[in-house]
């Protein structure tokens, strides 16, 4: 049988419950709903990190950040070419590899950015290609394309639009919430989907393809085109209850105490008055959430466009995977962003998988991780012998899933057995330990680490954390 084409689709900072196939009523996502109805919807899929770079590199390699060395958005810890990855392995096995959109497999030099200039980015593009990509259409993040001259920025520049795009990205008075300033066709996620659609329609190679379409949205800035606001049900948005409890973050020992009250490090602190997320008013939250959901509706349209092109080109001989590198707090607990988050909004991501030949709708409630995606792709393509930290999802679900899931990052580790979650954070100014009990406290409001009845669970998760880092190092 001819090897299947593999289409991996990722969104950046997408909360699982923003999709209607996971119960959302504020918007409808019919194309992703259709994907779920033809495949498997995973309800307890967990990313390997709440930060973009380590999570993306874990998808690419099937390795946890502590194994790959790609553990931070901010340190010089780009993914080493010595580790097998999706691109290098599949190209070696006869596939043609392509990516449209965001890579972020190397730390962005944030400190070099400047508002009056978009800086060269060719060395980043060359590095991404060196990982095993044959074709690359690079839009490396909504803000990155203002800071650095990727393929998308180059097209904006050619059209005379780059100064306006850059000005909107650098504006200090918007709180990172504003309507997209250019024509819709220039929106980064539309541009990404159009690149992939054209690539698929013009694909003339005899080789099967491994394709990664990587949307930069709905990651902030919250900048959806105003034309998409109408896709948001304003009544449902107003009626939707955000998970908050008065006083839940008043204790200074809580991970997000400073982020809520002032001086913290979650993403939403930056533009907040007094660097305190509690200072955002209800109008701000309403505008932020409307734009976020509008961006998700736009992404759903683009997913439908690309899947239709892929089906026309390859029929049912497709493995389609849709997921997100991590989620977004989106107002829960009074926060937005994802820094240091083990909350379900960030850690538990959407995962939809449609296998070649399609199938009936299934749901899986077992614990799985995004480190399992590489093994799943290899299984579909009949590739063996590449060690990873993951398992083929089909085999894993049949075996009952993972007993524990983990998330890592610079100075951060979280581990969960599906009921209890434990986070251990050690970095300058951030020394925290928290234990959450999803069974008794599904809203994740209380740190129960000091309660006597929870000590057996805490000891078990601490033991699993140590064991996780004591695994045999891969060659």
């Amino acid at each position: 049988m001819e090897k299947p084409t593999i289409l991996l689709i990722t969104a950046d900072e997408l909360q699982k419950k923003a999709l209607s196939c996971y119960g959302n009523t504020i918007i409808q996502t019919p194309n992703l709903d259709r994907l779920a109805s033809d495949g498997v919807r995973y309800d307890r899929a967990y990313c390997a990190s709440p930060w973009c770079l380590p999570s993306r590199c874990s998808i690419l390699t099937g390795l946890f950040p502590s194994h790959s060395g790609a553990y931070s958005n901010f340190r010089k810890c780009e993914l080493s070419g010595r580790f097998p990855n999706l691109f290098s392995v599949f190209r070696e096995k006869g596939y043609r590899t392509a990516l449209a959109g965001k890579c972020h497999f190397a730390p962005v030099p944030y400190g070099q950015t400047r508002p009056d200039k978009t800086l060269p980015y060719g060395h980043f593009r060359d590095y991404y290609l060196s990982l095993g990509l044959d074709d690359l259409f690079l839009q490396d993040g909504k803000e990155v394309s203002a800071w650095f001259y990727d393929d998308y920025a180059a097209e904006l520049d050619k059209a005379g639009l780059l100064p306006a795009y850059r000005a909107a990205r650098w504006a200090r008075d918007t709180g990172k919430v504003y309507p997209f300033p250019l024509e819709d066709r220039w929106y980064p996620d539309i541009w990404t989907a159009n690149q992939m659609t054209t690539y698929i329609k013009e694909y003339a190679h005899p080789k099967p393809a491994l394709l990664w379409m990587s949307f930069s949205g709905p990651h902030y800035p919250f900048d959806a085109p105003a034309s998409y606001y109408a896709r948001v049900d304003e009544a449902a948005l107003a009626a939707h209850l955000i998970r908050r409890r008065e006083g839940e973050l008043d204790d200074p020992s809580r991970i997000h105490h400073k982020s809520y009250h002032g001086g913290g490090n979650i993403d939403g602190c930056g533009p907040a008055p007094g660097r305190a997320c509690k200072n955002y008013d209800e109008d701000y939250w309403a505008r932020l959430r409307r734009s976020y959901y509008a961006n998700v509706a736009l992404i759903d349209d683009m997913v439908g466009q690309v899947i239709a092109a892929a089906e026309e080109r390859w029929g049912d001989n497709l493995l389609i995977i849709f997921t997100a590198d991590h989620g977004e707090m989106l107002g829960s607990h009074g926060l937005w962003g994802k820094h240091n988050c083990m909350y379900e909004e960030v850690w538990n991501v959407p995962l939809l998988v449609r296998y070649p030949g399609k199938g009936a709708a299934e749901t899986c409630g077992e614990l799985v991780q995004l480190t399992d995606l590489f093994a799943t792709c290899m299984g579909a393509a009949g590739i063996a012998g590449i060690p990873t930290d993951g398992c083929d999802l089909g085999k894993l679900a049949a075996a009952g899933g993972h007993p524990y899931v983990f998330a890592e990052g610079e100075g951060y580790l979280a581990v969960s057995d599906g009921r209890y979650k434990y986070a251990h954070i050690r970095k300058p100014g951030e020394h925290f330990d928290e234990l959450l009990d999803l069974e008794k406290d599904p809203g994740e409001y209380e740190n129960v680490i000091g309660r006597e009845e929870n000590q057996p669970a805490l000891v078990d998760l601490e033991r699993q954390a140590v064991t996780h880092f004591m695994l045999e190092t891969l060659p």
Side-chain angles (χ1 to χ4, degrees):
M1 181 179 176
E2 185 180 347
K3 288 183 180 292
T5 286
I6 294 171
L7 175 59
L8 171 62
I9 307 172
T10 56
D12 193 346
E13 207 153 311
L14 173 63
Q15 188 182 113
K16 182 182 79 173
K17 291 186 177 179
L19 307 181
S20 49
C21 56
Y22 283 103
N24 189 284
T25 59
I26 297 169
I27 56 169
Q28 297 300 310
T29 52
N31 294 296
L32 289 167
D33 293 356
R34 192 174 306 116
L35 184 61
S37 70
D38 289 338
V40 185
R41 188 194 75 199
Y42 292 85
D43 291 342
R44 295 203 296 171
Y46 288 82
C47 59
S49 179
W51 290 276
C52 296
L53 183 148
S55 183
R56 289 171 174 276
C57 290
S58 74
I59 294 171
L60 185 61
T61 63
L63 302 177
F64 285 107
S66 56
H67 262 164
S68 71
Y71 66 92
S72 172
N73 275 11
F74 313 105
R75 307 292 176 188
K76 185 172 173 53
C77 59
E78 61 270 14
L79 186 65
S80 170
R82 74 184 181 91
F83 292 108
N85 67 67
L86 269 171
F87 304 138
S88 63
V89 168
F90 274 75
R91 183 160 72 173
E92 182 182 330
K93 299 299 182 180
Y95 276 71
R96 189 166 185 90
T97 60
L99 184 146
K102 182 172 180 176
C103 289
H104 200 178
F105 305 131
V108 175
Y110 301 106
Q112 298 177 17
T113 60
R114 46 189 288 184
D116 63 333
K117 188 175 183 180
T118 299
L119 301 172
Y121 209 57
H123 58 298
F124 275 82
R125 195 178 195 285
D126 292 342
Y127 163 71
Y128 295 148
L129 288 168
S130 76
L131 294 174
L133 274 169
D134 292 308
D135 302 296
L136 174 60
F137 310 93
L138 184 60
Q139 195 281 305
D140 217 14
K142 292 179 182 178
E143 293 181 312
V144 172
S145 293
W147 300 332
F148 297 100
Y149 206 73
D150 59 16
D151 297 341
Y152 170 73
E155 288 202 17
L156 288 179
D157 194 23
K158 186 177 179 180
L161 300 172
L162 186 55
Y165 182 84
R166 185 168 58 234
R169 294 291 182 251
W170 277 100
R172 301 297 188 187
D173 59 351
T174 62
K176 294 191 183 292
V177 181
Y178 56 88
F180 186 62
L182 308 177
E183 292 180 50
D184 289 6
R185 66 191 179 94
W186 287 107
Y187 193 69
D189 295 333
I190 294 177
W191 182 89
T192 292
N194 286 342
Q195 301 304 306
M196 184 57 76
T197 301
T198 300
Y199 184 82
I200 290 170
K201 288 183 175 180
E202 295 178 355
Y203 194 86
H205 304 283
K207 298 179 179 180
L210 182 137
L211 311 173
W212 187 339
M213 181 167 65
S214 179
F215 293 112
S216 290
H219 190 292
Y220 62 86
F222 305 95
D223 66 342
S227 61
Y228 268 85
Y229 292 170
R231 294 279 290 275
V232 179
D233 185 325
E234 297 286 354
L237 181 66
H240 181 256
L241 295 177
I242 300 175
R243 298 204 307 179
R244 298 182 191 174
R245 177 183 287 179
E246 186 68 28
E248 63 173 298
L249 298 176
D250 286 353
D251 185 342
S253 70
R254 296 303 304 272
I255 293 171
H256 294 289
H257 169 77
K258 286 187 176 181
S259 289
Y260 184 72
H261 288 284
N265 291 314
I266 203 167
D267 315 58
C269 283
R275 290 188 58 83
C277 287
K278 71 177 182 180
N279 291 333
Y280 289 128
D281 60 25
E282 290 306 312
D283 175 69
Y284 176 85
W285 285 117
R287 289 187 293 109
L288 182 153
R289 295 169 68 226
R290 178 183 66 173
S291 185
Y292 182 90
Y293 286 121
N295 196 165
V296 176
L298 182 154
I299 287 172
D300 183 76
D301 282 353
M302 297 301 100
V303 168
Q305 172 183 302
V306 170
I307 289 179
E311 289 176 331
E312 183 177 351
R313 175 64 181 79
W314 291 289
D316 289 343
N317 195 26
L318 281 166
L319 171 65
I320 303 176
I321 299 173
F322 177 88
T323 190
D325 56 355
H326 53 73
E328 158 63 49
M329 291 304 293
L330 203 61
S332 290
H333 307 280
L335 308 168
W336 69 257
K338 74 278 186 182
H339 177 76
N340 281 349
C341 284
M342 67 168 167
Y343 291 121
E344 288 292 281
E345 286 87 347
V346 169
W347 195 5
N348 181 200
V349 293
L351 177 59
L352 308 173
V353 180
R354 197 187 83 186
Y355 290 93
K358 294 188 179 181
E362 298 179 42
T363 58
C364 177
E366 311 298 340
L367 292 175
V368 302
Q369 294 234 227
L370 298 192
T371 47
D372 299 320
L373 299 186
F374 190 3
T376 302
C377 292
M378 289 193 293
I383 298 171
I386 307 298
T388 73
D389 292 330
C391 305
D392 185 299
L393 283 168
K395 296 177 181 177
L396 178 62
H402 293 294
Y404 303 90
V405 290
F406 301 87
E408 301 176 8
E410 181 178 351
Y412 173 94
L413 174 70
V415 55
S416 175
D417 62 4
R419 172 180 173 177
Y420 290 99
K421 294 179 174 181
Y422 169 64
H424 180 84
I425 298 169
R426 292 295 185 273
K427 44 190 158 183
E430 297 179 296
H431 288 200
F432 299 104
D433 295 276
E434 278 193 14
L435 184 72
L436 305 177
D437 181 351
L438 289 177
E439 184 175 291
K440 293 184 177 179
D441 177 30
E444 302 183 278
Y445 300 120
E446 299 180 42
N447 179 16
V448 298
I449 199 165
R451 296 182 186 176
E452 183 177 352
E453 66 269 24
N454 295 316
Q455 295 314 295
L458 175 61
V459 169
D460 178 53
L461 294 183
E462 288 178 327
R463 181 183 295 114
Q464 295 304 323
V466 171
T467 302
H468 177 70
F469 284 114
M470 294 297 289
L471 292 174
E472 182 181 353
T473 303
L474 292 172

